[in-house]
Amino acid sequence: MFSRAITQHFLSLLNVYPIVTVTGPRQSGKTTLAKTALPDWNYVSLEDPDMRNFCKNDCKGFLQTYAEHTIIDEAQRVPELFSYLQTHVDSVGKNGMFVLTGSQNMNMMESISQSLAGRTSVLKLLPFSYEEQKAEDILPESVDAQIFTGGYPRIFDSGIPPYQFYKDYIELYVERDVRQLKNIGDLDTFKRFVKLCAGRTGQLLNVQNLSDDCGIGATTAKSWLSILETSFIVYFLQPDFRNFSKRLVKSPKLYFCDTGLACSLLEIQSEKQVSSHYLRGNLFENLVINRFRTKAFNRGADPELTFWRDKNGIEIDLLSKSRETQETCAWEIKAGSTYSEDYFKNLRHWSDFSGVPKENCSVIYTGQNHLMTKSGSLVPWSDCAP
């Protein structure tokens, strides 16, 4: 059983909230986290048809049966339960009563905002992070292998080949979750849309271009992108809008929550194919930004991450803000393994007009040497500690 970095924060929240909610992608380990951290608690899955019918038809009886210290899995399957939970926890007035888990963030968050605001803290559990894999000695040896393998627990628990796992994952996601989130008639077109998104990993989002390539309307494309974001398949890195007297790009960039999933959609079937793939640089950039995001979520924080790009094409891949000091750090992400002074070109330019000191500017690359240059730090991927 692999330990999760979020565990201590998860347990601490049960001391101050009656309910803790854990969301995240399907099969990211939400149920395992809750059951491992709380082995003496009751466990109920609303995926079970009998239990779901019991809960739907008699919410009061359900909560009398499971009055506290209960993990309720896939809680969004019975939306009416949330109102009864509100009344129940208010009447009892205790913390640490329930843990709710769910993989469909839209339905879960709608129910929480309507009924459980102020009564629950919401955590996001993503697949294994770099730090978790390293701590458990399951970290793939090369960067390309890390990109290809991704971080879903079952790959490591069961030894399933990554390409096979993600192929099955996509089929399950489309056939089950997408149907529950939205009535999509042509699932084959939706699958093609997801693959087209993978081909745009790390690129500026152009909805019209994406919809044209897929043969659908722009409104449909926006709706489908919302579904992918809601179900933790993709996310959007927003641009930094500080002007600095420059005309800025205002479109977000598209990334996948797991690089292994992106590789599968790109029909990459081995780590060797990653090394020569035309999107290797984008996939490495995706891997790095995922590391920043996961570390923030494991602290229970929202990632304060953006990118910066002007109309002349000068871009900073990632800007992060320290929660403690509120200082901005700038990061360029390069898939090369050999130092080049050109890596710092955009950082020098950005530092000069933004006023952010060069000490806060770094390049993350796939090499081994940690160097302090006059333009900033050169940081190996393995030593990157956001």
Side-chain angles (χ1 to χ4, degrees):
M1 191 67 66
F2 301 119
S3 61
R4 304 305 302 264
I6 204 172
T7 301
Q8 289 306 312
H9 184 64
F10 165 70
L11 291 172
S12 70
L13 291 174
L14 289 168
N15 294 321
V16 292
Y17 284 95
I19 301 171
V20 173
T21 301
V22 184
T23 66
R26 184 175 290 280
Q27 298 186 34
S28 64
K30 300 179 295 296
T31 302
T32 302
L33 167 71
K35 292 174 76 172
T36 302
L38 303 167
D40 298 327
W41 280 38
N42 302 310
Y43 171 76
V44 178
S45 174
L46 297 185
E47 287 286 329
D48 183 307
D50 291 336
M51 194 59 67
R52 186 165 66 248
N53 287 335
F54 172 35
C55 187
K56 276 186 174 182
N57 296 324
D58 188 3
C59 280
K60 287 185 177 179
F62 178 84
L63 290 177
Q64 287 175 353
T65 305
Y66 301 103
E68 62 176 326
H69 292 171
T70 299
I71 302 162
I72 305 177
D73 206 358
E74 297 297 335
Q76 80 282 346
R77 296 298 302 274
V78 185
E80 53 268 35
L81 172 63
F82 288 80
S83 295
Y84 286 92
L85 277 170
Q86 172 191 341
T87 303
H88 180 69
V89 299
D90 286 351
S91 65
V92 176
K94 290 170 58 177
N95 290 326
M97 295 180 66
F98 295 96
V99 170
L100 309 181
T101 73
S103 55
Q104 293 179 24
N105 196 37
M106 180 187 297
N107 294 344
M108 179 76 83
M109 296 312 298
E110 285 179 356
S111 298
I112 286 172
S113 63
Q114 292 170 7
S115 304
L116 297 181
R119 299 166 180 86
T120 185
S121 181
V122 180
L123 296 178
K124 294 183 178 70
L125 182 69
L126 298 183
F128 286 148
S129 66
Y130 176 95
E131 288 76 17
E132 288 170 328
Q133 293 180 41
K134 186 175 181 180
E136 297 291 338
D137 198 25
I138 56 173
L139 185 69
E141 291 185 3
S142 69
V143 170
D144 291 340
Q146 292 167 33
I147 291 171
F148 175 70
T149 304
Y152 275 87
R154 285 200 64 202
I155 292 173
F156 302 93
D157 284 339
S158 305
I160 303 173
Y163 184 76
Q164 182 64 48
F165 171 83
Y166 290 112
K167 179 178 178 294
D168 295 339
Y169 186 95
I170 293 164
E171 289 298 322
L172 176 66
Y173 163 70
V174 170
E175 293 292 340
R176 184 174 182 176
D177 290 353
V178 170
R179 287 185 185 276
Q180 291 178 7
L181 284 167
K182 195 173 184 66
N183 183 21
I184 295 177
D186 189 349
L187 290 179
D188 287 338
T189 301
F190 183 83
K191 290 177 187 177
R192 185 167 70 252
F193 179 81
V194 180
K195 289 186 176 184
L196 287 169
C197 287
R200 289 160 169 77
T201 300
Q203 299 178 17
L204 292 174
L205 177 64
N206 185 325
V207 175
Q208 188 62 58
N209 176 270
L210 184 59
S211 62
D212 288 346
D213 285 354
C214 192
I216 58 176
T219 300
T220 299
K222 290 178 182 178
S223 174
W224 287 4
L225 286 168
S226 178
I227 292 171
L228 293 175
E229 184 180 26
T230 292
S231 47
F232 298 98
I233 300 297
V234 305
Y235 63 91
F236 303 103
L237 188 67
Q238 297 298 327
D240 187 281
F241 289 116
R242 287 175 291 181
N243 199 321
F244 305 128
S245 300
K246 299 285 182 178
R247 295 180 63 206
L248 301 183
V249 167
K250 296 184 180 180
S251 298
K253 293 175 73 175
L254 172 70
Y255 295 96
F256 274 71
C257 290
D258 186 273
T259 57
L261 182 59
C263 284
S264 177
L265 291 164
L266 291 168
E267 299 185 359
I268 297 173
Q269 300 184 34
S270 72
E271 63 185 82
K272 290 182 179 180
Q273 288 183 310
V274 175
S275 65
S276 59
H277 199 276
Y278 73 99
L279 282 178
R280 181 179 184 266
N282 300 57
L283 290 167
F284 177 64
E285 183 178 310
N286 199 155
L287 187 73
V288 171
I289 297 173
N290 284 359
R291 188 170 174 184
F292 278 75
R293 293 181 80 242
T294 303
K295 194 157 189 177
F297 286 140
N298 285 343
R299 297 195 306 263
D302 289 325
E304 296 191 63
L305 306 174
T306 56
F307 75 98
W308 190 92
R309 181 170 177 168
D310 69 14
K311 294 292 185 179
N312 296 319
I314 297 174
E315 179 176 321
I316 304 300
D317 293 326
L318 185 66
L319 299 177
S320 64
K321 183 179 289 187
S322 168
R323 187 171 53 169
E324 291 77 19
T325 66
Q326 292 299 297
E327 285 188 323
T328 297
C329 291
W331 310 83
E332 277 285 85
I333 303 168
K334 302 295 183 182
S337 59
T338 304
Y339 168 68
S340 170
E341 182 63 23
D342 285 344
Y343 286 173
F344 288 92
K345 181 179 178 181
N346 287 355
L347 285 171
R348 287 195 299 268
H349 185 77
W350 186 80
S351 175
D352 288 342
F353 64 71
S354 70
V356 172
K358 289 182 171 60
E359 291 77 13
N360 287 11
C361 298
S362 302
V363 171
I364 299 171
Y365 78 136
T366 63
Q368 301 297 317
N369 297 317
H370 194 148
L371 304 176
M372 297 295 296
T373 78
K374 62 183 179 181
S375 301
S377 299
L378 185 71
V379 182
W381 152 250
S382 58
D383 295 340
C384 170

